[in-house]
Amino acid sequence: MAFFYSDGILHVGDARASVTVDSIIGAIDRPAYVYDLDDIALRFHAMNNAFVGTRHTIHYAMKANSNAAILRHLCALGAGVDTVSGGEIARARAAGVPADRIIFSGVAKTHQEIQRALEARIKQINVESPQELQRIADIARSLGVVADVAFRLNPNVNPKTHPYITTGFRDNKFGMDESFMPELRGILARESKWLRLRGFTMHIGSLLFDLDVIREAIEKTIAVHETFKAQGHALDRLDIGGGLGIAYDTADTAREFEMITQYGRMAIDATRGLDVELLTEPGRVFVARAGVLVGRVQYIKVTAAKTFAILDTGMHHLVRPALYGSKHRILPLHQDAGEKITYDIVGPICESSDFLAKDVSLSQLKQGDLVAIADAGAYGFTMASQYNSHELPAEIAVSAGRVVVCD
Ligand code: LLP
């Protein structure tokens, strides 16, 4: 557990080495994300253990959190990354991730992004359309290199998650269904000198809890994989994406560790006999629990309808509540046993979508108190903006109760 209370004071770390979040924030006078690197490592090891006995590579989906300390930490443990822009590839390279551990996904890869990816000799480009495949072939020809590609299948399954983060349903812009395959085969045949098809890839959505739906998508992907193999393509990779969820409404993390284990078992079973390197692209499940966003109460405002705790941080730093209606737990840095008050936790932004939590029952807050928004390590800082010309929050990475990097 990365963040926990001891004597009513919020700590970061674990039973062996921990420190108060207060002391980590120290003299920083703006909102800050605090990350626990050790918690991320635990999850990386859990995922690796779940796939033990298979050829399996974790490509951490860095869109969840691309902080350099986190990238360096995961890379040192052996992870690669899944990227979705030239900017992410550059960040990964700057953090020391070797090119042969980088996968490039994303629906709108520009000419320049593909060119840079091929020049850097990254491991694989996950292709989203025939036009993209043709563009990759043209650039590979002009550079005189062979591009390693995987085709992203849209398996048309319903992953039962928030509609904004569904990606493997037929209405989504992502991937290609079987009707695309003849065109893809044609391009592959014409451009065989510049393209090497390594396998198929899928990712059906985020915040998933139903492993049966993921299995259905894997099986549909394997069916197409096998037809290409039967036609003489020597496929040696299968990328099953990311998507595992965490339960934001509880501090109990046992369920997600259990799910990681079951996910590995399911994937091994579903791909038995396939003889491929199995690639996964987890994002959220590695980093969500490992981060909090800390803001300071500027004002308490009591109206006829509500009691607002107005912070110096809000939707511009953590957009998930406003965008998806997601409910993050609120953890005051100091809690007491006194009377509870029901608050709306809101920010400084000039619109009413600027809330971090509504109707939460907390011990009394006062001006100047620090408050942490829990489980904000995934899609927190990476989706933050400078809306209303506010500064971006600071980021502080902690390991074994000590600050590793602060920027
Ligand atoms: N691979 C691909 C191709 C993806 O598009 C994504 C996430 C992942 C892997 C990692 O998925 P994860 O394991 O993190 O679920 N901003 C939203 C989540 C958007 C996810 C986008 N794609 C949120 O805050 O809930």
Side-chain angles (χ1 to χ4, degrees):
M1 199 183 298
F3 295 89
F4 63 92
Y5 283 104
S6 177
D7 293 331
I9 300 174
L10 190 66
H11 285 63
V12 53
D14 59 24
R16 283 166 304 142
S18 68
V19 63
T20 66
V21 176
D22 242 344
S23 65
I24 292 293
I25 295 295
I28 294 178
D29 62 354
R30 64 183 163 126
Y33 276 94
V34 178
Y35 307 127
D36 179 14
L37 297 180
D38 303 322
D39 193 63
I40 298 171
L42 269 185
R43 286 152 190 277
F44 174 84
H45 293 310
M47 184 71 85
N48 251 348
N49 289 340
F51 283 85
V52 78
T54 56
R55 271 194 294 141
H56 167 234
T57 315
I58 293 173
H59 289 272
Y60 164 60
M62 62 182 279
K63 62 169 77 64
N65 190 323
S66 54
N67 179 270
I70 293 177
L71 295 180
R72 277 197 296 274
H73 195 63
L74 280 169
C75 181
L77 295 172
V81 288
D82 172 54
T83 63
V84 286
S85 70
E88 283 194 349
I89 294 175
R91 278 183 86 86
R93 300 284 285 142
V97 181
D100 64 3
R101 289 201 219 163
I102 298 177
I103 285 178
F104 187 16
S105 303
V107 284
K109 302 176 191 83
T110 65
H111 188 287
Q112 191 191 51
E113 286 176 318
I114 292 170
Q115 178 158 338
R116 296 216 172 125
L118 290 179
E119 282 167 352
R121 305 279 196 277
I122 67 161
K123 175 172 175 174
Q124 174 174 304
I125 300 180
N126 288 349
V127 179
E128 296 264 1
S129 67
Q131 282 192 342
E132 180 192 334
L133 184 63
Q134 187 60 58
R135 182 178 270 181
I136 293 169
D138 293 341
I139 298 169
R141 188 186 320 106
S142 73
L143 295 174
V145 300
V146 178
D148 284 304
V149 297
F151 293 161
R152 179 166 178 181
L153 191 81
N154 182 326
N156 187 23
V157 294
N158 179 359
K160 302 175 198 158
T161 183
H162 191 286
Y164 290 2
I165 51 179
T166 295
T167 55
F169 193 50
R170 62 164 186 266
D171 292 359
N172 302 136
K173 68 183 171 185
F174 301 96
M176 299 173 281
D177 67 16
E178 290 190 53
S179 69
F180 285 85
M181 299 305 148
E183 193 177 354
L184 294 173
R185 282 197 185 91
I187 299 171
L188 274 183
R190 264 199 329 271
E191 309 286 0
S192 61
K193 214 172 149 194
W194 313 111
L195 297 173
R196 184 162 47 214
L197 180 65
R198 303 300 297 257
F200 278 78
T201 175
M202 53 147 268
H203 170 78
I204 59 173
S206 196
L207 204 52
L208 309 181
F209 294 97
D210 188 338
L211 295 182
D212 290 341
V213 181
I214 304 179
R215 183 174 186 131
E216 185 190 343
I218 294 175
E219 285 170 354
K220 286 185 167 178
T221 309
I222 291 174
V224 182
H225 175 104
E226 293 291 31
T227 64
F228 274 72
K229 242 182 139 174
Q231 287 157 4
H233 294 280
L235 307 185
D236 62 352
R237 293 178 187 157
L238 183 75
D239 178 350
I240 60 170
L244 292 189
I246 66 139
Y248 284 97
D249 57 350
T250 165
D252 181 7
T253 60
R255 181 170 166 214
E256 64 232 26
F257 278 96
E258 177 61 20
M259 191 168 61
I260 289 173
T261 305
Q262 288 169 357
Y263 174 70
R265 252 185 237 143
M266 176 276 290
I268 291 171
D269 195 48
T271 58
R272 206 174 292 287
L274 209 58
D275 192 23
V276 287
E277 175 191 355
L278 208 50
L279 277 46
T280 53
E281 302 169 354
R284 185 189 320 265
V285 78
F286 276 11
V287 291
R289 297 283 197 194
V292 295
L293 170 61
V294 181
R296 197 178 289 280
V297 177
Q298 302 300 312
Y299 303 101
I300 301 292
K301 185 169 180 178
V302 184
T303 71
K306 293 272 187 182
T307 299
F308 293 102
I310 306 176
L311 309 189
D312 55 359
T313 186
M315 68 180 294
H316 54 318
H317 293 162
L318 180 66
V319 76
R320 302 195 71 262
L323 189 55
Y324 313 113
S326 59
K327 295 191 167 56
H328 288 253
R329 291 170 299 122
I330 301 298
L331 310 173
L333 266 52
H334 293 261
Q335 257 185 354
D336 60 47
E339 185 204 356
K340 296 265 194 264
I341 295 176
T342 301
Y343 291 98
D344 274 16
I345 308 292
V346 299
I349 299 297
C350 299
E351 55 177 283
S352 294
S353 62
D354 182 22
F355 58 87
L356 293 167
K358 285 189 172 174
D359 297 322
V360 285
S361 173
L362 302 172
S363 56
Q364 189 165 9
L365 294 172
K366 58 180 190 318
Q367 200 171 31
D369 282 353
L370 289 169
V371 172
I373 296 92
D375 306 327
Y379 306 106
F381 189 91
T382 50
M383 295 179 81
S385 76
Q386 291 187 295
Y387 187 31
N388 286 189
S389 296
H390 285 286
E391 256 186 300
L392 287 172
E395 292 184 285
I396 309 168
V398 179
S399 175
R402 275 209 289 272
V403 171
V404 178
V405 182
C406 177
D407 49 23

